[in-house]
mmCIF file of all heavy atoms in Angstrom:
data_model
loop_
_atom_site.group_PDB
_atom_site.id
_atom_site.type_symbol
_atom_site.label_atom_id
_atom_site.label_comp_id
_atom_site.label_asym_id
_atom_site.label_seq_id
_atom_site.Cartn_x
_atom_site.Cartn_y
_atom_site.Cartn_z
ATOM 1 N N ILE C 1 3.971 6.378 8.776
ATOM 2 C CA ILE C 1 3.595 5.018 8.986
ATOM 3 C C ILE C 1 3.806 4.671 10.389
ATOM 4 O O ILE C 1 2.924 4.038 11.112
ATOM 5 C CB ILE C 1 4.427 4.083 8.060
ATOM 6 C CG1 ILE C 1 3.897 4.283 6.630
ATOM 7 C CG2 ILE C 1 4.303 2.723 8.527
ATOM 8 C CD1 ILE C 1 4.711 3.605 5.619
ATOM 9 N N ARG C 2 4.858 5.075 10.924
ATOM 10 C CA ARG C 2 5.177 4.733 12.366
ATOM 11 C C ARG C 2 4.251 5.398 13.352
ATOM 12 O O ARG C 2 4.008 4.874 14.544
ATOM 13 C CB ARG C 2 6.565 5.249 12.805
ATOM 14 C CG ARG C 2 7.643 4.262 12.312
ATOM 15 C CD ARG C 2 9.090 4.550 12.934
ATOM 16 N NE ARG C 2 9.463 5.948 12.605
ATOM 17 C CZ ARG C 2 10.168 6.411 11.616
ATOM 18 N NH1 ARG C 2 10.612 5.421 10.692
ATOM 19 N NH2 ARG C 2 10.626 7.543 11.453
ATOM 20 N N HIS C 3 3.510 6.426 12.907
ATOM 21 C CA HIS C 3 2.585 7.140 13.812
ATOM 22 C C HIS C 3 1.043 6.862 13.441
ATOM 23 O O HIS C 3 0.178 7.524 14.103
ATOM 24 C CB HIS C 3 2.892 8.638 13.829
ATOM 25 C CG HIS C 3 4.154 8.953 14.545
ATOM 26 N ND1 HIS C 3 5.351 8.887 13.884
ATOM 27 C CD2 HIS C 3 4.484 9.116 15.754
ATOM 28 C CE1 HIS C 3 6.372 9.146 14.691
ATOM 29 N NE2 HIS C 3 5.821 9.315 15.890
ATOM 30 N N THR C 4 0.839 5.864 12.675
ATOM 31 C CA THR C 4 -0.560 5.607 12.317
ATOM 32 C C THR C 4 -1.177 4.874 13.507
ATOM 33 O O THR C 4 -0.467 4.075 14.261
ATOM 34 C CB THR C 4 -0.721 4.668 11.189
ATOM 35 O OG1 THR C 4 0.072 3.491 11.292
ATOM 36 C CG2 THR C 4 -0.251 5.381 9.877
ATOM 37 N N ARG C 5 -2.543 4.986 13.681
ATOM 38 C CA ARG C 5 -3.213 4.396 14.798
ATOM 39 C C ARG C 5 -4.262 3.376 14.290
ATOM 40 O O ARG C 5 -4.806 2.576 15.195
ATOM 41 C CB ARG C 5 -3.904 5.506 15.590
ATOM 42 C CG ARG C 5 -2.981 6.449 16.223
ATOM 43 C CD ARG C 5 -3.665 7.463 16.844
ATOM 44 N NE ARG C 5 -4.300 8.189 15.761
ATOM 45 C CZ ARG C 5 -4.927 9.385 15.819
ATOM 46 N NH1 ARG C 5 -4.897 9.973 16.920
ATOM 47 N NH2 ARG C 5 -5.434 9.922 14.704
ATOM 48 N N SER C 6 -4.436 3.222 13.058
ATOM 49 C CA SER C 6 -5.406 2.354 12.581
ATOM 50 C C SER C 6 -5.200 1.721 11.219
ATOM 51 O O SER C 6 -4.355 2.288 10.440
ATOM 52 C CB SER C 6 -6.820 3.036 12.532
ATOM 53 O OG SER C 6 -6.888 3.955 11.512
ATOM 54 N N MET C 7 -5.883 0.660 10.799
ATOM 55 C CA MET C 7 -5.736 0.089 9.570
ATOM 56 C C MET C 7 -6.221 0.952 8.438
ATOM 57 O O MET C 7 -5.824 1.058 7.328
ATOM 58 C CB MET C 7 -6.427 -1.275 9.517
ATOM 59 C CG MET C 7 -5.855 -2.377 10.420
ATOM 60 S SD MET C 7 -4.207 -2.834 9.842
ATOM 61 C CE MET C 7 -4.617 -3.734 8.298
ATOM 62 N N LEU C 8 -7.253 1.800 8.823
ATOM 63 C CA LEU C 8 -7.796 2.712 7.825
ATOM 64 C C LEU C 8 -6.737 3.791 7.460
ATOM 65 O O LEU C 8 -6.628 4.068 6.266
ATOM 66 C CB LEU C 8 -9.077 3.422 8.374
ATOM 67 C CG LEU C 8 -9.867 4.213 7.477
ATOM 68 C CD1 LEU C 8 -10.289 3.427 6.215
ATOM 69 C CD2 LEU C 8 -10.965 4.931 8.184
ATOM 70 N N GLU C 9 -5.945 4.220 8.363
ATOM 71 C CA GLU C 9 -4.936 5.236 7.965
ATOM 72 C C GLU C 9 -3.917 4.591 7.128
ATOM 73 O O GLU C 9 -3.371 5.217 6.166
ATOM 74 C CB GLU C 9 -4.242 5.719 9.300
ATOM 75 C CG GLU C 9 -5.117 6.634 10.085
ATOM 76 C CD GLU C 9 -4.326 7.092 11.401
ATOM 77 O OE1 GLU C 9 -3.179 7.402 11.339
ATOM 78 O OE2 GLU C 9 -5.048 7.275 12.348
ATOM 79 N N LEU C 10 -3.611 3.340 7.396
ATOM 80 C CA LEU C 10 -2.526 2.595 6.466
ATOM 81 C C LEU C 10 -3.157 2.366 5.150
ATOM 82 O O LEU C 10 -2.476 2.542 4.098
ATOM 83 C CB LEU C 10 -2.207 1.273 7.194
ATOM 84 C CG LEU C 10 -1.267 1.467 8.357
ATOM 85 C CD1 LEU C 10 -1.183 0.063 9.081
ATOM 86 C CD2 LEU C 10 0.118 1.905 7.999
ATOM 87 N N TRP C 11 -4.418 2.128 5.071
ATOM 88 C CA TRP C 11 -5.079 1.836 3.764
ATOM 89 C C TRP C 11 -4.980 3.139 2.968
ATOM 90 O O TRP C 11 -4.718 3.047 1.680
ATOM 91 C CB TRP C 11 -6.545 1.434 4.011
ATOM 92 C CG TRP C 11 -7.240 1.084 2.856
ATOM 93 C CD1 TRP C 11 -7.198 -0.123 2.090
ATOM 94 C CD2 TRP C 11 -8.156 1.972 2.018
ATOM 95 N NE1 TRP C 11 -8.022 -0.038 0.991
ATOM 96 C CE2 TRP C 11 -8.546 1.235 0.925
ATOM 97 C CE3 TRP C 11 -8.517 3.230 2.147
ATOM 98 C CZ2 TRP C 11 -9.392 1.774 -0.031
ATOM 99 C CZ3 TRP C 11 -9.402 3.764 1.209
ATOM 100 C CH2 TRP C 11 -9.830 3.065 0.120
ATOM 101 N N HIS C 12 -5.219 4.313 3.540
ATOM 102 C CA HIS C 12 -5.109 5.501 2.766
ATOM 103 C C HIS C 12 -3.663 5.931 2.278
ATOM 104 O O HIS C 12 -3.412 6.740 1.433
ATOM 105 C CB HIS C 12 -5.667 6.735 3.646
ATOM 106 C CG HIS C 12 -7.158 6.740 3.663
ATOM 107 N ND1 HIS C 12 -7.851 7.026 2.581
ATOM 108 C CD2 HIS C 12 -7.982 6.390 4.696
ATOM 109 C CE1 HIS C 12 -9.135 6.923 2.884
ATOM 110 N NE2 HIS C 12 -9.254 6.553 4.254
ATOM 111 N N MET C 13 -2.633 5.321 2.923
ATOM 112 C CA MET C 13 -1.247 5.512 2.475
ATOM 113 C C MET C 13 -0.797 4.694 1.305
ATOM 114 O O MET C 13 0.271 4.835 0.671
ATOM 115 C CB MET C 13 -0.319 5.247 3.607
ATOM 116 C CG MET C 13 -0.457 6.266 4.724
ATOM 117 S SD MET C 13 0.798 5.926 5.994
ATOM 118 C CE MET C 13 0.277 7.084 7.180
ATOM 119 N N ARG C 14 -1.610 3.747 0.805
ATOM 120 C CA ARG C 14 -1.242 2.801 -0.181
ATOM 121 C C ARG C 14 -0.877 3.475 -1.538
ATOM 122 O O ARG C 14 0.117 3.205 -2.184
ATOM 123 C CB ARG C 14 -2.297 1.769 -0.475
ATOM 124 C CG ARG C 14 -2.503 0.793 0.721
ATOM 125 C CD ARG C 14 -3.756 -0.006 0.623
ATOM 126 N NE ARG C 14 -4.182 -0.401 -0.688
ATOM 127 C CZ ARG C 14 -5.103 0.039 -1.383
ATOM 128 N NH1 ARG C 14 -5.809 1.071 -0.997
ATOM 129 N NH2 ARG C 14 -5.396 -0.515 -2.569
ATOM 130 N N ALA C 15 -1.661 4.481 -1.985
ATOM 131 C CA ALA C 15 -1.395 5.159 -3.264
ATOM 132 C C ALA C 15 -0.212 5.902 -3.178
ATOM 133 O O ALA C 15 0.565 5.939 -4.191
ATOM 134 C CB ALA C 15 -2.718 5.989 -3.576
ATOM 135 N N GLU C 16 0.163 6.591 -2.127
ATOM 136 C CA GLU C 16 1.374 7.334 -2.043
ATOM 137 C C GLU C 16 2.584 6.293 -2.029
ATOM 138 O O GLU C 16 3.588 6.669 -2.683
ATOM 139 C CB GLU C 16 1.380 8.235 -0.767
ATOM 140 C CG GLU C 16 2.481 9.181 -0.655
ATOM 141 C CD GLU C 16 2.344 10.065 0.499
ATOM 142 O OE1 GLU C 16 1.284 10.066 1.192
ATOM 143 O OE2 GLU C 16 3.324 10.813 0.812
ATOM 144 N N MET C 17 2.435 5.247 -1.315
ATOM 145 C CA MET C 17 3.429 4.260 -1.375
ATOM 146 C C MET C 17 3.687 3.787 -2.782
ATOM 147 O O MET C 17 4.941 3.610 -3.181
ATOM 148 C CB MET C 17 3.177 3.207 -0.405
ATOM 149 C CG MET C 17 3.363 3.493 0.992
ATOM 150 S SD MET C 17 3.166 2.109 2.167
ATOM 151 C CE MET C 17 4.542 1.056 1.574
ATOM 152 N N PHE C 18 2.634 3.447 -3.442
ATOM 153 C CA PHE C 18 2.697 2.877 -4.837
ATOM 154 C C PHE C 18 3.447 3.830 -5.755
ATOM 155 O O PHE C 18 4.392 3.444 -6.428
ATOM 156 C CB PHE C 18 1.385 2.576 -5.423
ATOM 157 C CG PHE C 18 1.442 1.919 -6.710
ATOM 158 C CD1 PHE C 18 1.477 0.566 -6.945
ATOM 159 C CD2 PHE C 18 1.403 2.716 -7.910
ATOM 160 C CE1 PHE C 18 1.550 0.018 -8.227
ATOM 161 C CE2 PHE C 18 1.446 2.241 -9.114
ATOM 162 C CZ PHE C 18 1.478 0.890 -9.322
ATOM 163 N N GLY C 19 3.121 5.092 -5.704
ATOM 164 C CA GLY C 19 3.778 6.069 -6.506
ATOM 165 C C GLY C 19 5.299 6.270 -6.220
ATOM 166 O O GLY C 19 6.073 6.358 -7.022
ATOM 167 N N LEU C 20 5.632 6.234 -4.919
ATOM 168 C CA LEU C 20 7.009 6.334 -4.487
ATOM 169 C C LEU C 20 7.852 5.162 -4.988
ATOM 170 O O LEU C 20 8.896 5.385 -5.545
ATOM 171 C CB LEU C 20 7.066 6.549 -2.976
ATOM 172 C CG LEU C 20 8.398 6.800 -2.377
ATOM 173 C CD1 LEU C 20 8.967 8.053 -2.932
ATOM 174 C CD2 LEU C 20 8.284 6.845 -0.890
ATOM 175 N N VAL C 21 7.302 3.948 -4.721
ATOM 176 C CA VAL C 21 8.072 2.755 -5.241
ATOM 177 C C VAL C 21 8.140 2.679 -6.746
ATOM 178 O O VAL C 21 9.247 2.367 -7.281
ATOM 179 C CB VAL C 21 7.356 1.459 -4.633
ATOM 180 C CG1 VAL C 21 8.125 0.225 -5.142
ATOM 181 C CG2 VAL C 21 7.450 1.505 -3.016
ATOM 182 N N ALA C 22 7.095 2.958 -7.375
ATOM 183 C CA ALA C 22 7.130 2.986 -8.882
ATOM 184 C C ALA C 22 8.089 4.023 -9.333
ATOM 185 O O ALA C 22 8.757 3.702 -10.410
ATOM 186 C CB ALA C 22 5.749 3.212 -9.446
ATOM 187 N N THR C 23 8.304 5.164 -8.768
ATOM 188 C CA THR C 23 9.166 6.230 -9.206
ATOM 189 C C THR C 23 10.677 5.812 -8.932
ATOM 190 O O THR C 23 11.469 5.964 -9.770
ATOM 191 C CB THR C 23 8.892 7.512 -8.486
ATOM 192 O OG1 THR C 23 7.554 7.977 -8.720
ATOM 193 C CG2 THR C 23 9.889 8.502 -8.943
ATOM 194 N N CYS C 24 10.906 5.134 -7.831
ATOM 195 C CA CYS C 24 12.243 4.766 -7.459
ATOM 196 C C CYS C 24 12.672 3.478 -8.068
ATOM 197 O O CYS C 24 13.925 3.268 -8.164
ATOM 198 C CB CYS C 24 12.391 4.808 -5.963
ATOM 199 S SG CYS C 24 12.136 6.368 -5.157
ATOM 200 N N HIS C 25 11.733 2.595 -8.282
ATOM 201 C CA HIS C 25 12.035 1.283 -8.915
ATOM 202 C C HIS C 25 11.332 1.135 -10.231
ATOM 203 O O HIS C 25 11.590 1.913 -11.106
ATOM 204 C CB HIS C 25 11.748 0.136 -7.891
ATOM 205 C CG HIS C 25 12.620 0.075 -6.670
ATOM 206 N ND1 HIS C 25 13.846 -0.155 -6.612
ATOM 207 C CD2 HIS C 25 12.128 0.303 -5.420
ATOM 208 C CE1 HIS C 25 14.327 -0.043 -5.487
ATOM 209 N NE2 HIS C 25 13.343 0.273 -4.594
ATOM 210 N N THR C 26 10.436 0.180 -10.338
ATOM 211 C CA THR C 26 9.580 0.023 -11.507
ATOM 212 C C THR C 26 8.146 -0.125 -10.997
ATOM 213 O O THR C 26 7.918 -0.383 -9.841
ATOM 214 C CB THR C 26 9.986 -1.202 -12.345
ATOM 215 O OG1 THR C 26 9.801 -2.341 -11.500
ATOM 216 C CG2 THR C 26 11.418 -1.214 -12.746
ATOM 217 N N GLN C 27 7.243 -0.108 -11.924
ATOM 218 C CA GLN C 27 5.817 -0.263 -11.714
ATOM 219 C C GLN C 27 5.560 -1.739 -11.383
ATOM 220 O O GLN C 27 4.708 -1.926 -10.502
ATOM 221 C CB GLN C 27 4.990 0.183 -12.920
ATOM 222 C CG GLN C 27 3.433 0.049 -12.545
ATOM 223 C CD GLN C 27 2.592 0.746 -13.644
ATOM 224 O OE1 GLN C 27 3.078 1.312 -14.585
ATOM 225 N NE2 GLN C 27 1.337 0.487 -13.596
ATOM 226 N N ASP C 28 6.228 -2.615 -12.003
ATOM 227 C CA ASP C 28 6.040 -4.030 -11.640
ATOM 228 C C ASP C 28 6.438 -4.293 -10.186
ATOM 229 O O ASP C 28 5.864 -5.112 -9.469
ATOM 230 C CB ASP C 28 6.898 -4.946 -12.480
ATOM 231 C CG ASP C 28 6.286 -4.999 -13.939
ATOM 232 O OD1 ASP C 28 5.079 -4.716 -14.107
ATOM 233 O OD2 ASP C 28 7.047 -5.378 -14.893
ATOM 234 N N GLU C 29 7.485 -3.676 -9.722
ATOM 235 C CA GLU C 29 7.995 -3.790 -8.369
ATOM 236 C C GLU C 29 6.973 -3.260 -7.387
ATOM 237 O O GLU C 29 6.684 -3.665 -6.317
ATOM 238 C CB GLU C 29 9.428 -3.199 -8.103
ATOM 239 C CG GLU C 29 9.927 -3.280 -6.694
ATOM 240 C CD GLU C 29 10.115 -4.657 -6.154
ATOM 241 O OE1 GLU C 29 10.264 -5.540 -7.001
ATOM 242 O OE2 GLU C 29 10.304 -4.836 -4.983
ATOM 243 N N ALA C 30 6.463 -2.045 -7.833
ATOM 244 C CA ALA C 30 5.483 -1.380 -6.993
ATOM 245 C C ALA C 30 4.188 -2.264 -6.891
ATOM 246 O O ALA C 30 3.605 -2.408 -5.723
ATOM 247 C CB ALA C 30 5.098 -0.019 -7.500
ATOM 248 N N GLN C 31 3.775 -2.883 -7.901
ATOM 249 C CA GLN C 31 2.611 -3.817 -7.875
ATOM 250 C C GLN C 31 2.863 -4.980 -7.041
ATOM 251 O O GLN C 31 2.051 -5.441 -6.282
ATOM 252 C CB GLN C 31 2.214 -4.106 -9.364
ATOM 253 C CG GLN C 31 1.574 -3.075 -10.104
ATOM 254 C CD GLN C 31 1.387 -3.383 -11.577
ATOM 255 O OE1 GLN C 31 1.876 -4.381 -12.173
ATOM 256 N NE2 GLN C 31 0.461 -2.676 -12.187
ATOM 257 N N ARG C 32 4.107 -5.596 -7.122
ATOM 258 C CA ARG C 32 4.429 -6.705 -6.241
ATOM 259 C C ARG C 32 4.375 -6.330 -4.769
ATOM 260 O O ARG C 32 3.811 -7.064 -3.973
ATOM 261 C CB ARG C 32 5.840 -7.272 -6.665
ATOM 262 C CG ARG C 32 6.191 -8.533 -5.878
ATOM 263 C CD ARG C 32 7.651 -8.865 -6.250
ATOM 264 N NE ARG C 32 8.668 -7.939 -5.674
ATOM 265 C CZ ARG C 32 8.874 -7.839 -4.331
ATOM 266 N NH1 ARG C 32 8.305 -8.571 -3.447
ATOM 267 N NH2 ARG C 32 9.900 -6.973 -3.901
ATOM 268 N N ARG C 33 4.977 -5.220 -4.470
ATOM 269 C CA ARG C 33 4.959 -4.782 -3.011
ATOM 270 C C ARG C 33 3.542 -4.476 -2.479
ATOM 271 O O ARG C 33 3.157 -4.761 -1.340
ATOM 272 C CB ARG C 33 5.757 -3.600 -2.850
ATOM 273 C CG ARG C 33 7.327 -3.931 -3.076
ATOM 274 C CD ARG C 33 8.186 -2.769 -2.762
ATOM 275 N NE ARG C 33 9.599 -3.049 -3.098
ATOM 276 C CZ ARG C 33 10.638 -2.293 -2.711
ATOM 277 N NH1 ARG C 33 10.426 -1.209 -2.060
ATOM 278 N NH2 ARG C 33 11.807 -2.623 -3.130
ATOM 279 N N MET C 34 2.726 -3.852 -3.325
ATOM 280 C CA MET C 34 1.410 -3.522 -3.018
ATOM 281 C C MET C 34 0.481 -4.807 -2.780
ATOM 282 O O MET C 34 -0.330 -4.846 -1.897
ATOM 283 C CB MET C 34 0.736 -2.494 -3.989
ATOM 284 C CG MET C 34 1.345 -1.198 -3.871
ATOM 285 S SD MET C 34 1.550 -0.389 -2.296
ATOM 286 C CE MET C 34 -0.046 -0.383 -1.763
ATOM 287 N N ALA C 35 0.761 -5.784 -3.642
ATOM 288 C CA ALA C 35 0.059 -7.050 -3.539
ATOM 289 C C ALA C 35 0.296 -7.653 -2.237
ATOM 290 O O ALA C 35 -0.638 -8.252 -1.604
ATOM 291 C CB ALA C 35 0.357 -7.930 -4.665
ATOM 292 N N ALA C 36 1.525 -7.579 -1.800
ATOM 293 C CA ALA C 36 1.835 -8.158 -0.450
ATOM 294 C C ALA C 36 1.120 -7.380 0.679
ATOM 295 O O ALA C 36 0.789 -7.940 1.572
ATOM 296 C CB ALA C 36 3.360 -8.168 -0.264
ATOM 297 N N LEU C 37 1.068 -6.029 0.490
ATOM 298 C CA LEU C 37 0.415 -5.288 1.533
ATOM 299 C C LEU C 37 -1.049 -5.350 1.460
ATOM 300 O O LEU C 37 -1.811 -5.218 2.535
ATOM 301 C CB LEU C 37 0.861 -3.795 1.458
ATOM 302 C CG LEU C 37 2.318 -3.546 1.709
ATOM 303 C CD1 LEU C 37 2.728 -2.112 1.398
ATOM 304 C CD2 LEU C 37 2.805 -3.935 3.116
ATOM 305 N N ASN C 38 -1.643 -5.488 0.291
ATOM 306 C CA ASN C 38 -3.111 -5.466 0.099
ATOM 307 C C ASN C 38 -3.684 -6.739 0.830
ATOM 308 O O ASN C 38 -5.014 -6.701 1.004
ATOM 309 C CB ASN C 38 -3.483 -5.439 -1.304
ATOM 310 C CG ASN C 38 -3.315 -4.060 -1.900
ATOM 311 O OD1 ASN C 38 -3.296 -3.106 -1.267
ATOM 312 N ND2 ASN C 38 -3.331 -3.896 -3.284
ATOM 313 N N ARG C 39 -2.970 -7.736 1.105
ATOM 314 C CA ARG C 39 -3.598 -8.954 1.744
ATOM 315 C C ARG C 39 -4.048 -8.590 3.107
ATOM 316 O O ARG C 39 -4.857 -9.369 3.652
ATOM 317 C CB ARG C 39 -2.584 -10.055 1.741
ATOM 318 C CG ARG C 39 -1.388 -9.864 2.626
ATOM 319 C CD ARG C 39 -0.386 -11.016 2.586
ATOM 320 N NE ARG C 39 0.819 -10.644 3.249
ATOM 321 C CZ ARG C 39 1.090 -10.755 4.507
ATOM 322 N NH1 ARG C 39 -0.034 -11.152 5.316
ATOM 323 N NH2 ARG C 39 2.154 -10.385 5.111
ATOM 324 N N HIS C 40 -3.706 -7.553 3.626
ATOM 325 C CA HIS C 40 -4.228 -7.214 4.990
ATOM 326 C C HIS C 40 -5.599 -6.534 4.975
ATOM 327 O O HIS C 40 -6.202 -6.197 5.975
ATOM 328 C CB HIS C 40 -3.254 -6.179 5.702
ATOM 329 C CG HIS C 40 -1.834 -6.840 5.912
ATOM 330 N ND1 HIS C 40 -1.715 -7.831 6.888
ATOM 331 C CD2 HIS C 40 -0.727 -6.653 5.333
ATOM 332 C CE1 HIS C 40 -0.568 -8.185 6.811
ATOM 333 N NE2 HIS C 40 0.099 -7.551 5.988
ATOM 334 N N PHE C 41 -6.119 -6.268 3.731
ATOM 335 C CA PHE C 41 -7.345 -5.468 3.589
ATOM 336 C C PHE C 41 -8.357 -6.299 2.902
ATOM 337 O O PHE C 41 -8.065 -7.224 2.097
ATOM 338 C CB PHE C 41 -7.106 -4.098 2.849
ATOM 339 C CG PHE C 41 -6.141 -3.321 3.535
ATOM 340 C CD1 PHE C 41 -4.827 -3.229 2.978
ATOM 341 C CD2 PHE C 41 -6.361 -2.577 4.633
ATOM 342 C CE1 PHE C 41 -3.861 -2.423 3.597
ATOM 343 C CE2 PHE C 41 -5.414 -1.800 5.256
ATOM 344 C CZ PHE C 41 -4.106 -1.741 4.781
ATOM 345 N N PRO C 42 -9.761 -6.127 3.170
ATOM 346 C CA PRO C 42 -10.802 -6.839 2.490
ATOM 347 C C PRO C 42 -10.741 -6.558 0.979
ATOM 348 O O PRO C 42 -10.391 -5.469 0.543
ATOM 349 C CB PRO C 42 -12.024 -6.428 3.106
ATOM 350 C CG PRO C 42 -11.717 -5.122 3.895
ATOM 351 C CD PRO C 42 -10.229 -5.051 4.103
ATOM 352 N N THR C 43 -11.242 -7.540 0.131
ATOM 353 C CA THR C 43 -11.322 -7.369 -1.257
ATOM 354 C C THR C 43 -12.704 -7.616 -1.679
ATOM 355 O O THR C 43 -13.535 -8.265 -0.953
ATOM 356 C CB THR C 43 -10.365 -8.388 -2.001
ATOM 357 O OG1 THR C 43 -10.785 -9.700 -1.536
ATOM 358 C CG2 THR C 43 -8.889 -8.085 -1.600
ATOM 359 N N ARG C 44 -13.085 -7.172 -2.885
ATOM 360 C CA ARG C 44 -14.266 -7.444 -3.511
ATOM 361 C C ARG C 44 -14.089 -7.554 -4.997
ATOM 362 O O ARG C 44 -13.132 -7.117 -5.577
ATOM 363 C CB ARG C 44 -15.311 -6.410 -3.237
ATOM 364 C CG ARG C 44 -15.091 -5.055 -3.836
ATOM 365 C CD ARG C 44 -16.214 -4.149 -3.654
ATOM 366 N NE ARG C 44 -15.807 -2.873 -4.278
ATOM 367 C CZ ARG C 44 -15.932 -1.759 -3.696
ATOM 368 N NH1 ARG C 44 -16.375 -1.646 -2.477
ATOM 369 N NH2 ARG C 44 -15.605 -0.638 -4.305
ATOM 370 N N SER C 45 -15.024 -8.228 -5.631
ATOM 371 C CA SER C 45 -14.990 -8.302 -7.085
ATOM 372 C C SER C 45 -15.288 -6.994 -7.740
ATOM 373 O O SER C 45 -15.967 -6.075 -7.159
ATOM 374 C CB SER C 45 -16.144 -9.247 -7.570
ATOM 375 O OG SER C 45 -15.983 -10.595 -6.960
ATOM 376 N N PRO C 46 -14.734 -6.811 -8.923
ATOM 377 C CA PRO C 46 -15.079 -5.522 -9.696
ATOM 378 C C PRO C 46 -16.502 -5.451 -9.884
ATOM 379 O O PRO C 46 -17.216 -6.410 -10.064
ATOM 380 C CB PRO C 46 -14.322 -5.690 -10.979
ATOM 381 C CG PRO C 46 -13.217 -6.805 -10.728
ATOM 382 C CD PRO C 46 -13.797 -7.669 -9.706
#
């Protein structure tokens, strides 16, 4: 993370972060943290 150069690189790290937080804490905690980080990226409807 400290050596990323773009938002795209950070976007690609989200899944790995989710898995790590869900493993060490709970899935609800991982979803809460990812929701806070996802606000930096564009969204679209399903």
Side-chain angles (χ1 to χ4, degrees):
I1 289 169
R2 281 193 300 270
H3 291 88
T4 57
R5 295 170 298 193
S6 69
M7 292 295 290
L8 187 60
E9 289 180 38
L10 288 169
W11 185 82
H12 283 291
M13 290 183 189
R14 292 168 38 259
E16 190 174 353
M17 286 187 62
F18 183 87
L20 185 61
V21 174
T23 302
C24 294
H25 294 295
T26 64
Q27 186 173 349
D28 288 338
E29 178 65 18
Q31 288 174 340
R32 186 186 66 75
R33 291 184 190 191
M34 291 312 299
L37 295 174
N38 283 342
R39 67 184 169 81
H40 297 291
F41 304 103
T43 58
R44 70 172 178 230
S45 300

